[in-house]
Amino acid sequence: MSAPVLETLDLVKRFGGLLATNSVSFTLERGARHALIGPNGAGKTTFVNQLTGVLKPSGGAIRLEGRDVTHSRPEARVRLGMSRTFQINQLFRTMTPLEMLLLVLGEREGRGLHLWSRLDARADLVREAAAIAERFRLDDVIGETIATLSYGKQRQLEIAAAFAARPKVLLLDEPAAGVPEAERQDLLNIVSELPAEVSVLLIEHDMDLVFRFATRITVLVNGTVIAEGEPAAIAADPTVRAAYLGGESGDA
């Protein structure tokens, strides 16, 4: 059996007297379709912020492909193959989807903003950006200003931008949040069609999306893992149903 692509060992995060992450040991297998769920205040976003380096853990360890990244900066984790989306999108609203994707590709190539001065010499990146836009159903709006796009299209673009970094691990933090019902099917299809070689951790309150996507689910309550298993087992677990599936939505 291959080593997990991402794991945490007794991860702890304290905010003063509040224990937001309580000795969480978690494993994301290579090629996984894994969901993290939990009620309001469960600590899901705190956990993801530790995985990505936004928050420094108070204790424990984080390993990416066996490498200790507990104290690595966020940009270093991106270079090592970890990419994420956010609950609220982080797009440059004055750009077009093509420009946004090219910016990510330029960063990935180590060129950043210098890419713009030699765009004519990097037709390969333009082709790659166009192919990514098509994969994520953005080819029809590739030249439009991001601010004018529907919210569903903006969420699709954020996932596309995260994918453009060529991640080994992709963390999707509530991709369906705020997306109108009419646009959710496209989003569900896009998430379902992500390549098998990308290991995905989905943090989501939309249970339809969770149960249609995930083959394994971890349940977090008050910073503690209370259950983990296949979707059918999680849905039938009375402790989980009492803590989350029959309770309120939200996050902290």
Side-chain angles (χ1 to χ4, degrees):
M1 184 175 179
S2 63
V5 66
L6 177 67
E7 62 182 334
T8 68
L9 306 172
D10 295 322
L11 200 64
V12 173
K13 182 60 184 178
R14 295 185 181 88
F15 295 103
L18 173 66
L19 190 60
T21 309
N22 184 12
S23 298
V24 173
S25 292
F26 169 84
T27 297
L28 185 70
E29 299 295 344
R30 198 170 302 276
R33 296 296 183 261
H34 201 129
L36 178 67
I37 67 173
N40 185 40
K44 301 183 297 298
T45 296
T46 297
F47 178 67
V48 172
N49 282 341
Q50 290 172 89
L51 293 180
T52 57
V54 174
L55 287 176
K56 181 180 178 181
S58 304
I62 303 168
R63 293 176 182 165
L64 178 61
E65 293 204 308
R67 179 172 180 167
D68 191 324
V69 296
T70 311
H71 304 291
S72 299
R73 295 178 62 84
E75 56 270 26
R77 300 183 202 206
V78 172
R79 288 194 296 271
L80 290 170
M82 184 187 295
S83 191
R84 75 173 290 183
T85 65
F86 294 81
Q87 287 178 329
I88 300 172
N89 73 55
Q90 306 288 305
L91 302 172
F92 295 105
R93 293 172 59 81
T94 59
M95 286 185 170
T96 66
L98 177 61
E99 291 169 339
M100 181 81 195
L101 292 172
L102 284 170
L103 181 62
V104 175
L105 295 177
E107 289 289 344
R108 190 193 73 197
E109 298 286 306
R111 298 178 59 83
L113 294 174
H114 296 296
L115 173 69
W116 301 106
S117 64
R118 294 185 53 80
L119 198 55
D120 58 335
R122 295 308 309 264
D124 57 326
L125 293 187
V126 175
R127 287 193 298 270
E128 184 177 355
I132 292 171
E134 182 176 5
R135 170 189 281 272
F136 288 90
R137 296 167 171 78
L138 295 164
D139 45 320
D140 59 333
V141 296
I142 195 169
E144 298 183 16
T145 304
I146 291 171
T148 67
L149 302 184
S150 70
Y151 194 66
K153 288 289 188 183
Q154 290 183 26
R155 298 301 280 188
Q156 290 168 218
L157 176 57
E158 189 177 19
I159 299 172
F163 176 81
R166 288 185 182 165
K168 299 168 186 173
V169 173
L170 179 58
L171 309 176
L172 300 177
D173 195 354
E174 297 198 40
V179 177
E181 190 63 36
E183 296 183 274
R184 287 196 175 206
Q185 188 58 50
D186 267 350
L187 189 70
L188 175 61
N189 291 340
I190 283 168
V191 172
S192 298
E193 293 165 8
L194 287 167
E197 63 268 20
V198 179
S199 306
V200 182
L201 176 60
L202 173 73
I203 302 90
E204 184 56 69
H205 286 299
D206 185 331
M207 289 298 101
D208 179 59
L209 179 55
V210 167
F211 284 102
R212 289 179 64 180
F213 172 79
T215 58
R216 192 163 188 83
I217 298 173
T218 297
V219 185
L220 196 67
V221 175
N222 295 327
T224 301
V225 173
I226 66 164
E228 184 172 293
E230 296 180 355
I234 293 298
D237 189 317
T239 304
V240 174
R241 293 181 66 86
Y244 180 64
L245 295 178
E248 298 178 355
S249 294
D251 197 10

